[in-house]
Amino acid sequence: MICELAKKDIEELQTTNILPQTTFWGRIKRNQGFIPKGFELTISRDLLVTSANSLEKKGEDLLVLIKYVNPNACFAYVPYGPKMEPTFENQGLLLEQLSESIRPHLPANCIFIRYDLTWENQWAAEDDYFDEQGNWIGPPPAHTQEYRLNFNTVTGNVKKSIEDNLPKNTFFLDLTLNEQELMYNMRYNTRYNVRKANKKGIRVREYRLEQIGDWYKLYYDTAIRHNMAMQSQEYFSSILKNQDNSKNGVTVKMLMADIDGRFLSSMFLVLSRKRGTYLYGASTSCKDNLMASYALQWESIRISKEWGCTEYDMFGSAPNLDRSHPLHGVHIYKKGFGGNLYHRMGCWDYPYDRKQYDIFRLQEAQK
């Protein structure tokens, strides 16, 4: 088995559909106190597929973020990486091999490495984890998940994180369909609302950094209304400033919907290679915002398709239709656009210093 890493400047990382594995994301996270590191990862095929006999090598770029929890300790975080997805039985083995291979490239006081996996959740592929209505009920308890992932490892050191960072559940839309087909795939109410917004005269346009204050007013209103943790206006400004503005890089479009010059709804659309991502959204509390949000989302989908994207990531939803879930309303709204619900594996840790890691987990659990 081969698992090798070579250092690579983050500005030289190849752009990928997976936004959190791009140079752009590294720049944004640097502004938030992370130390981004780039690598070129090379592994042999037998690390991906158990039955593989070949030592054929596969490669990809890898973005790793270092975060110091105090002056004497840090952890490494891999957002939505690694991108290469092994068979279910090889997932733990790949994480183990990669963790040990990357260890010499990390600070000596690194407590653990955390992988925010975009791989399909293993238990979303099993009928036993769906109810009679076809809703996914979620994975089993953490110890059961750990037992399965560590089955093929040497150390048994792969641990399920206390919490997940990036969205685990999302809807993907197939943008290879034409606009008529995309409309047909929507739920009736969603399609009706999109058309109604157009008839009411709601306009969707792209705005520049000069209008970031208008964006932030909508965002602030939304955050207060839903009791959300808030980012600063400077954070959103940095998103616009750090884009690449080319089809070979990452492009950000700040879209806002208005009627008669009054802004009702807004969003950040991020275009990375062949994927459009609905990164942030906001709206007023007035009654007209509902129609505006449908017009805004539809225009974002259209822009992504025109840009050459083949898929559209709604970037976050509830795992099922459970009404008690805090993202139930968001789930219903996004589901209405006709995408396919996808469940990711979420965050997994590989401890280097078990004592310090256990302390960190305890503190994390008490947040």
Side-chain angles (χ1 to χ4, degrees), residues 7-134:
K7 292 182 181 179
K8 189 171 187 177
D9 191 293
I10 70 160
E11 293 297 326
E12 297 178 355
L13 297 178
Q14 295 295 313
T15 304
T16 169
N17 285 2
I18 302 175
L19 179 64
Q21 276 294 306
T22 61
T23 294
F24 165 80
W25 199 263
R27 296 189 199 121
I28 296 297
K29 292 303 172 181
R30 179 187 283 139
N31 293 338
Q32 293 185 306
F34 288 87
I35 302 171
K37 290 182 176 289
F39 298 95
E40 185 175 349
L41 170 63
T42 302
I43 64 174
S44 54
R45 192 167 179 270
D46 57 346
L47 260 178
L48 297 174
V49 183
T50 303
S51 59
N53 297 318
S54 170
L55 290 181
E56 171 193 358
K57 294 181 180 180
K58 293 183 176 292
E60 67 175 36
D61 287 345
L62 189 70
L63 175 66
V64 180
L65 306 172
I66 307 298
K67 180 71 171 180
Y68 274 84
V69 295
N70 61 55
N72 302 313
C74 67
F75 68 91
Y77 172 58
V78 186
Y80 279 179
K83 299 183 288 293
M84 284 185 283
E85 186 167 348
T87 54
F88 289 164
E89 62 269 22
N90 271 36
Q91 288 186 353
L93 178 62
L94 175 57
L95 295 180
E96 179 183 60
Q97 294 284 319
L98 177 54
S99 299
E100 291 297 341
S101 297
I102 202 172
R103 188 172 186 173
H105 299 281
L106 301 175
N109 57 2
C110 186
I111 300 171
F112 66 94
I113 184 167
R114 172 166 293 175
Y115 301 94
D116 207 331
L117 299 175
T118 188
W119 304 340
E120 182 185 14
N121 196 293
Q122 294 191 15
W123 292 271
E126 298 182 4
D127 293 340
D128 291 344
Y129 292 90
F130 288 80
D131 64 20
E132 294 179 354
Q133 287 73 45

Side-chain angles (χ1 to χ4, degrees), residues 63 69 150 245 254 309:
L63 175 66
V69 295
N150 281 292
N245 274 322
M254 185 173 71
C309 296

Side-chain angles (χ1 to χ4, degrees), residues 24 31 38 45 51 55 82 130 142 154 195 213 225 238 245-246 250 255 286 328 346 361:
F24 165 80
N31 293 338
R45 192 167 179 270
S51 59
L55 290 181
F130 288 80
V154 176
R195 289 170 174 164
R225 193 165 68 246
S238 74
N245 274 322
S246 74
V250 171
L255 306 176
C286 74
H328 175 72
R361 277 178 67 94

Side-chain angles (χ1 to χ4, degrees), residues 95-316:
L95 295 180
E96 179 183 60
Q97 294 284 319
L98 177 54
S99 299
E100 291 297 341
S101 297
I102 202 172
R103 188 172 186 173
H105 299 281
L106 301 175
N109 57 2
C110 186
I111 300 171
F112 66 94
I113 184 167
R114 172 166 293 175
Y115 301 94
D116 207 331
L117 299 175
T118 188
W119 304 340
E120 182 185 14
N121 196 293
Q122 294 191 15
W123 292 271
E126 298 182 4
D127 293 340
D128 291 344
Y129 292 90
F130 288 80
D131 64 20
E132 294 179 354
Q133 287 73 45
N135 294 310
W136 189 54
I137 60 177
H143 68 273
T144 303
Q145 297 181 58
E146 290 175 357
Y147 179 80
R148 179 184 287 187
L149 242 73
N150 281 292
F151 180 74
N152 211 18
T153 65
V154 176
T155 62
N157 199 35
V158 180
K159 306 294 180 184
K160 183 70 186 79
S161 305
I162 291 289
E163 55 186 30
D164 298 297
N165 296 3
L166 293 168
K168 283 179 59 178
N169 310 286
T170 190
F171 284 97
F172 279 111
L173 272 69
D174 179 4
L175 298 189
T176 63
L177 302 175
N178 61 42
E179 287 192 14
Q180 185 177 357
E181 291 169 324
L182 287 167
M183 272 282 189
Y184 178 80
N185 284 345
M186 293 181 189
R187 296 176 66 186
Y188 171 78
N189 287 344
T190 301
R191 187 166 54 247
Y192 173 80
N193 287 336
V194 169
R195 289 170 174 164
K196 184 177 179 181
N198 291 331
K199 290 179 181 178
K200 290 181 68 174
I202 292 175
R203 301 177 304 173
V204 178
R205 291 184 289 184
E206 180 182 357
Y207 294 86
R208 304 296 182 186
L209 188 60
E210 292 74 19
Q211 279 75 41
I212 193 67
D214 294 308
W215 149 267
Y216 198 74
K217 288 176 184 176
L218 293 173
Y219 170 77
Y220 184 85
D221 188 353
T222 304
I224 294 297
R225 193 165 68 246
H226 295 288
N227 195 28
M228 294 163 40
M230 284 191 286
Q231 300 283 3
S232 67
Q233 182 170 315
E234 289 70 27
Y235 169 73
F236 293 106
S237 295
S238 74
I239 291 178
L240 291 175
K241 291 176 181 176
N242 280 292
Q243 64 179 310
D244 301 298
N245 274 322
S246 74
K247 290 205 172 185
N248 293 323
V250 171
T251 295
V252 181
K253 293 183 177 292
M254 185 173 71
L255 306 176
M256 291 196 282
D258 77 280
I259 187 166
D260 298 327
R262 182 165 56 99
F263 293 119
L264 302 174
S265 187
S266 57
M267 68 176 290
F268 275 69
L269 166 64
V270 184
L271 302 160
S272 182
R273 202 163 176 263
K274 294 294 184 179
R275 180 183 293 177
T277 300
Y278 168 38
L279 191 58
Y280 289 103
S283 63
T284 68
S285 55
C286 74
K287 63 181 181 180
D288 290 329
N289 74 347
L290 185 62
M291 297 303 109
S293 68
Y294 284 97
L296 186 70
Q297 195 69 244
W298 174 238
E299 183 62 17
S300 177
I301 292 167
R302 291 182 67 252
I303 290 172
S304 299
K305 184 171 176 62
E306 290 172 2
W307 191 262
C309 296
T310 57
E311 57 187 12
Y312 186 82
D313 185 356
M314 288 286 194
F315 208 64

